[in-house]
Amino acid sequence: MSDARTPAASGAAASAEAPRTGGRPAVTALRLADAGEGADLASFLQRLLRYDRAAVVRLQAAPVPAPGPVPGRTPVPGRTPAPAPGSAPAPGSAPAPGSGSAPGGDARPGAAGTPTGTSAGVLAVFGRLPLGASGTVAVRAVRLSGPVEPLDATVSAGQLLEAVDEAGASLAVPPGVTGPAWAGMLPPRGGWRPLGGPLPGERIAASVAAAVAEFRARSEALAPEDRTRPALDALADEIWSRPLEDAPELPLRAAHAARVLGFVRPGAPLGAFASGAWLRLSAPHGSVALRRAPAPGSGLGLTPLG
């Protein structure tokens, strides 16, 4: 990222608080496992901001005492699976909601930058894409290094993006903001059941590309006076509400969200899961979840900004 970003404070611990100065609140600094984690996080935030310039994200960090596979997740080839975000207790609570799958990387003791004998940690970053009446909640796991203190905060996605120091592999958590409705209604912690076996990523990507082409062709065929935002939203909702061919319980919208966030990649296995009123499409690099029925205050909006 550019040098204009505010570098996070450095130190031996992955999570530390800088002293208060002039009555300002302390700043929490997180040390990332490596520079690649910062780059992946920045890419995720940039994609969220493309769809919502005022996007906020909920952060939940916790130490991970031991490595191990996550039920329902297909690991990235050649990498040890990361424990689920929130698999260790979150502040004042049980494991972090929405962590049925741990997207991306490992978070094991002794990983890059982690002192021997200490527990590494994972930071779960939850964001919302305004796709459809219910929207989709995305989660990206970021590996941390060093001892990690539990953290639960809702912050501006734009400010968090500016606080990523890729070269220094660190992150300064910005001040908290009042969270929107979705941030208090995250997917459940567990109870996820698989909806069949692994899904073919290439075929799902092709289905999304075909749907995008259909939307473009049908919207361009509308008379200019009929090409209104409500008409375009209705057309998009019609297309993205269709069932996913390889996992009919999931709408095509889930695959669309995963693709625009960069979770659908060549050769990367995908998995479909359900838990109560929630559905999830999981990939090694992240996952998206959505409710079977719209949640209160979820809002609309289907078109990327700019």
Side-chain angles (χ1 to χ4, degrees):
M1 308 301 294
S2 71
D3 293 335
R5 288 211 179 142
T6 304
S10 59
S15 177
E17 288 192 353
R20 293 177 178 267
T21 56
R24 290 178 295 178
V27 174
T28 298
L30 299 175
R31 242 179 40 189
L32 310 180
D34 53 48
E37 292 295 324
D40 285 347
L41 174 58
S43 176
F44 174 69
L45 294 171
Q46 287 168 342
R47 290 170 185 263
L48 282 178
L49 290 163
R50 178 174 177 243
Y51 278 78
D52 181 3
R53 293 192 181 103
V56 301
V57 291
R58 184 168 174 183
L59 308 177
Q60 292 183 334
V64 178
V70 178
R73 181 201 166 191
T74 305
V76 181
R79 300 182 76 179
T80 302
S87 56
S93 70
S99 57
S101 162
D106 64 4
R108 62 190 186 280
T114 305
T116 303
T118 65
S119 294
V122 64
L123 172 69
V125 184
F126 296 89
R128 179 183 175 275
L129 273 179
L131 299 174
S134 59
T136 58
V137 176
V139 59
R140 181 72 172 85
V142 180
R143 294 178 300 139
L144 303 175
S145 69
V148 176
E149 295 297 326
L151 168 73
D152 192 341
T154 300
V155 302
S156 159
Q159 290 184 3
L160 185 64
L161 176 61
E162 290 300 318
V164 176
D165 177 12
E166 289 182 31
S170 60
L171 170 69
V173 178
V177 299
T178 300
W182 70 261
M185 297 184 291
L186 296 179
R189 294 187 293 270
W192 294 98
R193 60 179 178 87
L195 302 175
L199 304 178
E202 289 80 3
R203 195 157 70 215
I204 287 177
S207 297
V208 173
V212 169
E214 178 185 349
F215 174 81
R216 183 178 296 113
R218 291 176 61 180
S219 61
E220 290 175 353
L222 293 172
E225 61 272 16
D226 295 331
R227 204 176 297 138
T228 62
R229 180 58 180 266
L232 294 177
D233 280 352
L235 174 59
D237 201 48
E238 174 204 329
I239 294 173
W240 299 118
S241 295
R242 295 171 185 166
L244 195 59
E245 181 179 352
D246 294 286
E249 289 193 53
L250 274 176
L252 190 53
R253 176 178 293 110
H256 181 209
R259 187 168 184 266
V260 301
L261 288 171
F263 296 161
V264 179
R265 304 183 186 182
L270 305 174
F273 303 87
S275 179
W278 286 86
L279 299 166
R280 192 182 85 236
L281 182 64
S282 181
H285 303 283
S287 63
V288 297
L290 68 167
R291 297 177 65 94
R292 297 177 191 266
S298 56
L300 290 169
L302 296 160
T303 309
L305 299 170

